[in-house]
Amino acid sequence: QVQLAESGGGLVQIGGSLRLACTTSGIVFNIWNMGWYRQAPGKQRERVASIGSNDNIHRTRYADSVKGRFTISRDNANNTVYLQMDSLKPEDTAVYYCYANNDWDMTDYWGQGTQVTVSS
């Protein structure tokens, strides 16, 4: 059974930082692409950041809205992907979801989400 479990969300002030973690089980972590989406109330889901598998040389991509502020990384030894979020803004408030996908049959797996709230 595949499981993705996010942690690290919470309430933070404008300009603050949070580090999200997503720990996985049931997949061979290093051959899966990993990433984060977010969804705010009344808005479309937005892909925030992604990081490639070993075969994709851990290539990273970011939404324009978070470039220079967010950093995605992965720890293959611990089956975990991280999202370091700095200089947080109110518009970063959303539920953040971790996902895993592959390059051979396009299967996706999702976590349950973690709430991030940025306030003044």
Side-chain angles (χ1 to χ4, degrees):
Q1 183 180 2
V2 178
Q3 292 186 325
L4 281 67
E6 300 101 334
S7 61
L11 176 65
V12 64
Q13 291 188 328
I14 294 172
S17 298
L18 282 175
R19 189 192 196 201
L20 305 183
C22 173
T23 301
T24 70
S25 61
I27 59 173
V28 180
F29 183 77
N30 62 11
I31 63 174
W32 286 74
N33 305 308
M34 302 296 300
W36 295 88
Y37 273 80
R38 68 185 179 186
Q39 188 162 24
K43 293 188 177 180
Q44 286 191 325
R45 188 177 61 176
E46 174 188 26
R47 185 168 66 182
V48 175
S50 64
I51 185 165
S53 66
N54 282 9
D55 286 348
N56 292 322
I57 56 172
H58 297 179
R59 181 179 57 223
T60 57
R61 291 175 175 164
Y62 297 92
D64 287 343
S65 57
V66 306
K67 280 180 182 176
R69 301 188 297 120
F70 289 11
T71 304
I72 189 170
S73 61
R74 63 191 296 158
D75 179 350
N76 285 349
N78 291 299
N79 299 333
T80 301
V81 61
Y82 300 98
L83 185 68
Q84 177 67 42
M85 306 186 295
D86 299 320
S87 302
L88 283 161
K89 305 175 181 179
E91 52 264 44
D92 295 319
T93 295
V95 177
Y96 284 70
Y97 298 91
C98 170
Y99 74 90
N101 64 26
N102 64 44
D103 294 325
W104 55 92
D105 65 7
M106 309 310 291
T107 296
D108 291 340
Y109 294 110
W110 293 85
Q112 80 288 351
T114 186
Q115 176 71 46
V116 171
T117 303
V118 184
S119 72
S120 55

